[in-house]
Amino acid sequence: MVAFFLPRASDDEQAERLYEALAEFAGCEPAPPGARVAAISFTQDGARWTATVGEELTGVRTTQQLRRGELLERTEALSSASRVLAVYPGTPFVVVTDAQPITGTPSEWANPFLVQPDEVTLFDRR
């Protein structure tokens, strides 16, 4: 487990302010210290994605094809230039990235976007 942090925050106090500001931007409530999310995994459009705070979104898509009576499986690594800034728990979870409109960086993902995770990793309790 990792201690709570946010990218671009230089200290704990700034991280708290940024966490609250990003929650306001996303239209959701910030989680209390013991329930803050470090990473989630979810399925979107047939791919398994992972959103980890401070890292780019990554995914894996596995496809199967029958060729000459043999089942072939192909795994494709996926990535997005969008870096995860924060993940807020809820139904659904809210993921905020550094893509537009926060920065000028275009992304194939909306910002923020909503997902129902299959797996959740929390930050260490403080």
Side-chain angles (χ1 to χ4, degrees):
M1 288 180 113
V2 176
F4 175 72
F5 80 98
L6 288 185
R8 302 183 180 175
S10 57
D11 58 35
D12 290 347
E13 191 175 302
Q14 187 180 24
E16 290 296 327
R17 286 194 311 269
L18 184 56
Y19 187 71
E20 289 187 18
L22 290 172
E24 187 175 321
F25 161 75
C28 64
E29 290 295 317
R36 292 184 178 169
V37 178
I40 59 172
S41 294
F42 59 95
T43 303
Q44 182 82 20
D45 298 328
R48 175 106 169 133
W49 287 91
T50 301
T52 302
V53 173
E55 297 180 15
E56 291 180 352
L57 287 160
T58 58
V60 174
R61 176 178 288 124
T62 301
T63 56
Q64 296 180 337
Q65 182 180 21
L66 192 59
R67 181 178 275 167
R68 297 185 196 148
E70 186 179 343
L71 186 62
L72 302 175
E73 197 169 88
R74 194 179 96 201
T75 301
E76 174 186 10
L78 306 169
S79 65
S80 170
S82 300
R83 185 166 308 277
V84 177
L85 297 179
V87 179
Y88 297 94
T91 309
F93 278 51
V94 179
V95 178
V96 179
T97 69
D98 65 354
Q100 293 175 339
I102 290 179
T103 66
T105 307
S107 175
E108 64 277 15
W109 297 87
N111 190 25
F113 67 89
L114 309 175
V115 295
Q116 199 56 45
D118 306 316
E119 194 176 317
V120 178
T121 304
L122 299 178
F123 282 109
D124 277 341
R125 292 181 176 268
R126 287 207 224 179

